[in-house]
Amino acid sequence: MAQEVRGVIAPGKDEPVRIETIVVPDPGPGEAVVAIQACGVCHTDLYYKQGGISDEYPFLLGHEAAGVVESVGAGVTDVAPGDFVILNWRAVCGKCRACLRGRPWYCFDTHNAEQKMTLASTGQELSPALGIGAFADKTLVAAGQCTKVDPAVSAQVAGLLGCGVMAGIGAAINTGNVGRGDTVAVIGCGGVGDAAIAGSHLAGAAKVIAVDIDDRKLETARSMGATHTVNSRESEPVEAIRELTGGFGADVVIEAVGRPETYQQAFYARDLAGTVVLVGVPTPEMKLELPLLDVFGRGGSLKSSWYGDCLPSRDFPMLIDLHLQGRLDLGKFVTETIQLDEVEKAFERMHAGDVLRSVVVL
């Protein structure tokens, strides 16, 4: 039987969010209803609110979430009611050319729930953020979007793997292939950049250089594992990174801003045959211009990292285990916990750079 629950809705472009009663249908084949315990406030939710992703309002916001499976539809075997899960926005299909070649983290046909959640007042269909919509007491997702993990972990930190933290850690470990003894530079020290720093430290990098324009963020970056910091308002970042790497540049440079000028810095701050990883999200109008001879002459790899090239079924349980072992402190990413009616204020604090992550606790 369909249920009515609370959810945070973005009704229109740049309009304040509000709590509405939403209708969550019973799960159909391949679907699951999850009772949300916690959900991080991510920049992507703000982009939805601002119309930066699509105009399919109203949006049901929230996607960095963890909770407990309440019910499942026909054919679901990987999760069951009572399982503690992290939600992901890339349920792999298992049938596309990437999946059939043994590269499911590149799946070209990821999917979400078939049924739609609706507004109780009007019956209008909702567009869930990244196919999840977890600023709600309960949400409907494809069962493949649920990854079972050790229930000993706090939902407040577990949910963060659902987007930003996984994107950053994966950019370092999966895409950048950071290894023991490597030198790494991370440009942009927000949530994703700090996660890339933590991932680089976890992978055994000998030197991790954090670059940002905000000293507060650089101080946080040190707590995540950065060995050196560069304020790019005060120092030219390419020169500073080279100076810190014996004049050569870093083995891996991770760009976590998503702007042409910072990408160019990343390109020239790497060593010969080094790797650039773009994990910052650009906007549609941005263009990049580089001398083709430099692209050829410097060698190496220019990569983009989408969701940290992660495979949730592989990476989520592993990272949760590392957290529970004390080797990866996910709690450092949580600045504050808030209630469902404080999401709009959390967006304001995020925009001002006052928080790393606000987490809604339900």
Side-chain angles (χ1 to χ4, degrees):
M1 183 176 180
Q3 303 178 67
E4 293 189 354
V5 302
R6 300 173 303 160
V8 174
I9 304 301
K13 185 175 181 178
D14 283 327
E15 293 182 28
V17 301
R18 60 177 185 250
I19 295 179
E20 294 272 6
T21 300
I22 66 171
V23 178
V24 180
D26 283 344
E31 296 176 342
V33 170
V34 178
I36 303 300
Q37 294 184 343
C39 184
V41 181
C42 176
H43 272 92
T44 304
D45 292 303
L46 182 58
Y47 294 153
Y48 272 107
K49 175 179 180 286
Q50 295 171 335
I53 295 182
S54 78
D55 59 358
E56 297 174 358
Y57 294 97
F59 294 111
L60 175 59
L61 300 180
H63 60 280
E64 287 187 346
V68 175
V69 175
E70 180 181 88
S71 57
V72 298
V76 175
T77 57
D78 289 342
V79 293
D83 285 346
F84 179 70
V85 296
I86 299 172
L87 299 184
N88 73 78
W89 45 274
R90 301 203 72 221
V92 301
C93 71
K95 300 176 182 178
C96 71
R97 59 194 185 280
C99 289
L100 292 177
R101 291 167 67 185
R103 303 171 186 172
W105 49 90
Y106 292 139
C107 178
F108 302 132
D109 194 22
T110 56
H111 57 281
N112 306 128
E114 291 287 337
Q115 299 183 87
K116 292 290 188 179
M117 292 176 279
T118 58
L119 285 174
S121 57
T122 64
Q124 185 176 9
E125 291 187 349
L126 297 168
S127 300
L130 292 178
I132 293 177
F135 286 154
D137 295 303
K138 298 177 184 179
T139 193
L140 176 76
V141 293
Q145 294 178 263
C146 302
T147 304
K148 185 178 178 180
V149 296
D150 191 332
V153 68
S154 164
Q156 297 175 24
V157 299
L160 300 183
L161 289 179
C163 190
V165 173
M166 184 68 253
I169 292 176
I173 295 176
N174 295 333
T175 315
N177 295 313
V178 173
R180 293 189 299 273
D182 281 350
T183 57
V184 180
V186 178
I187 300 176
C189 298
V192 173
D194 279 346
I197 290 167
S200 300
H201 176 71
L202 185 68
K207 189 173 292 183
V208 183
I209 304 163
V211 181
D212 203 280
I213 61 174
D214 189 331
D215 284 331
R216 297 175 301 170
K217 292 185 177 181
L218 292 173
E219 183 178 349
T220 301
R222 280 194 177 274
S223 74
M224 297 291 181
T227 58
H228 300 77
T229 59
V230 174
N231 187 317
S232 54
R233 285 192 189 276
E234 301 170 0
S235 304
E236 204 290 316
V238 175
E239 293 179 3
I241 291 169
R242 287 182 175 173
E243 183 177 345
L244 290 167
T245 54
F248 300 116
D251 297 308
V252 181
V253 184
I254 299 170
E255 201 279 357
V257 181
R259 297 191 59 84
E261 56 268 36
T262 46
Y263 188 90
Q264 288 185 346
Q265 291 168 0
F267 179 83
Y268 287 109
R270 66 184 173 128
D271 197 357
L272 291 173
T275 299
V276 174
V277 176
L278 174 65
V279 68
V281 182
T283 54
E285 75 280 1
M286 291 180 179
K287 305 292 183 183
L288 177 68
E289 185 173 327
L290 287 170
L292 191 58
L293 184 61
D294 286 355
V295 176
F296 173 78
R298 298 182 68 84
S301 301
L302 306 178
K303 297 182 174 183
S304 296
S305 184
W306 207 54
Y307 205 5
D309 287 340
C310 82
L311 182 60
S313 60
R314 174 195 66 194
D315 294 339
F316 288 3
M318 173 192 70
L319 293 174
I320 291 300
D321 287 346
L322 289 172
H323 171 72
L324 293 173
Q325 293 165 18
R327 297 168 61 191
L328 175 64
D329 188 356
L330 295 172
K332 289 182 179 179
F333 291 92
V334 180
T335 307
E336 62 177 0
T337 57
I338 62 173
Q339 300 300 307
L340 204 58
D341 60 1
E342 297 177 280
V343 169
E344 184 68 33
K345 292 181 180 178
F347 283 144
E348 294 171 6
R349 289 191 288 272
M350 175 199 299
H351 187 69
D354 294 335
V355 294
L356 193 56
R357 268 300 185 270
S358 302
V359 178
V360 175
V361 177
L362 291 113

